[in-house]
Amino acid sequence: MKQWIGVKAVALLLSGVAAAQTQPAPAAKVRDVDPQIAAAVRKVSAAQIEANIRKLAGFHNRNTISAADPASIARGRGIGAAREWIKSEFERYSQACGGCLEVKTDGFLQEPADRIPKPTEIVNVYAVLPGTDPENAKRVYLVTGHYDSRNSDTLNVVDEAPGANDDASGVAVSLECARVLSHYKFPATLIFMAVAGEEQGLNGSKHFAKWAKSQGMNIEGVLNNDIVGGNKTPGDSTQDATIVRVFSEGVPAAATEQEIRMLRALGGENDSPSRQLARYVREVGEKYLAKGFGPKLVFRRDRYLRGGDHTSFNEQGYAAVRFTEFREDYNHQHQTPRTENGIEYGDLPKFVDFQYVANVARLNLATLAALASAPAPPTKIKLLTKQLENDTTLAWEASPGGLATGYEVLYRATTEAEWPILGVENVGAATTATIKRSKDNVIFAVRAVDKKGHKSLPVVPSPER
Ligand SMILES: [Zn+2]
């Protein structure tokens, strides 16, 4: 913790913030802070994260098509050994909390495909922390990273592919959230996941997301961490250790033609469920993370020419966002370790900023805990458009699950990126509200709150004549 403050202080000085502001703001001053979540955030360990990233890098090559036979697993080489180790970590955390986690695998035989030359078993590993309330336990929040790696050649299973940043860092976030949050109880369900096949074509996450959809699993939010190592190349001063980017899709990948027509007509392209999730991450960051580190929202599904596992969930209609470090160093990802013309290539642990990964883990953990503590969002939110008027009437059905004690109507100008702190009206327990603002000028949303101030994801209404 001491070290962490030190790193932040340095980062703030670098970014030109006055020294007087480098003291972390006491979280308790912020409204509606849940002391249990604040305590959980403090338990995230950079040392634990470092140990996990070094362990994963130590399996030499975690390519999805690398060895997974018993002899290789015993030797600690290849993707099979990595998978068994991740599973054993989840099991160890579960033992430490009296068996509170259900450790599971989602394995399937991937037929030959682009970058998969022969039939290959792909296995996602995950741990479920079931919600304590039967009705609310049906709501699921999921954190994931991919444990497969690659070097310069996607099909190379021989040379080193340490994948410390891409994506042992993301797996370490998932593991650390599981380790810490398994000691707490929440009404809703959490899933901590590590998927494979990402580098070959998102195969693992696609399989799980499709399966979840076929089961009718109500996944309300997916946090995908991929390349969250805060790459620190010696001599590079352009990395920003105070920022993690959070990417979210605009028009949902799963939107129907009719839904897209509606988004076009009403200017709804900036208010997908994934984008509400991203805004929620920012609010949580302000509440639970010390000053000097936070999310930078990027309103784009992913980076140019790149993809990630969150998209597999988006395609099945789930809200999902991607966390990625501020500045990527392409010499230190998807590269076979080597030195050429004085440049060191390779995704090695020595380029990972473990304190940075710990901050990303804190943000993920606080978001998961806040969502799993909160009431379900209200449903069937309607914005009444029967007549032309300058006030706006909204109506909705109560938040299911019985946790909500009231509702808040949020609004912001159409040109504003995020829900402003001032644009909130507490409407009590009523399920209808008339707001003295024109629906033509602002974007509305409604969220449920409980008596401790936990807030659901906001939901944008649909118009009703
Ligand atoms: Zn990756």
Side-chain angles (χ1 to χ4, degrees), residues 31 37 44 55 66 79 91 139 142 171 233 238 257 271 273 283 316 383 385 407 417 427 435-436 439 463:
R31 209 163 57 92
I37 297 175
V44 169
K55 179 73 187 181
S66 68
I79 190 150
E91 281 161 355
R139 276 188 294 133
L142 187 151
V171 174
T233 302
T238 59
E257 274 306 313
D271 280 277
E283 267 195 47
Q316 299 304 318
L383 185 148
T385 57
Y407 300 93
V427 299
I435 308 290
K436 294 268 168 218
K439 57 188 167 295

Side-chain angles (χ1 to χ4, degrees), residues 304-321:
Y304 278 89
L305 301 174
R306 310 293 291 271
D309 292 313
H310 57 306
T311 301
S312 299
F313 288 92
N314 287 154
E315 282 170 351
Q316 299 304 318
Y318 293 123
V321 298

Side-chain angles (χ1 to χ4, degrees), residues 313-396:
F313 288 92
N314 287 154
E315 282 170 351
Q316 299 304 318
Y318 293 123
V321 298
R322 175 194 182 116
F323 292 73
T324 297
E325 66 190 10
F326 177 67
R327 183 189 184 281
E328 295 170 75
D329 187 325
Y330 306 105
N331 293 340
H332 300 147
Q333 47 174 270
H334 299 195
Q335 293 281 0
T336 306
R338 68 195 186 279
T339 299
E340 261 175 33
N341 301 324
I343 297 170
E344 191 172 11
Y345 293 89
D347 190 350
L348 301 162
K350 69 177 184 182
F351 299 121
V352 173
D353 179 346
F354 303 109
Q355 304 292 341
Y356 177 85
V357 185
N359 275 336
V360 176
R362 290 178 181 106
L363 182 57
N364 274 262
L365 179 147
T367 304
L368 293 169
L371 287 167
S373 303
T379 62
K380 298 187 181 149
I381 305 170
K382 299 290 177 202
L383 185 148
L384 306 185
T385 57
K386 278 194 193 74
Q387 57 196 43
L388 300 173
E389 56 189 346
N390 284 308
D391 292 349
T392 301
T393 298
L394 295 144
W396 56 91

Side-chain angles (χ1 to χ4, degrees), residues 10-22:
V10 170
L12 281 166
L13 286 169
L14 285 175
S15 66
V17 175
Q21 288 180 293
T22 58

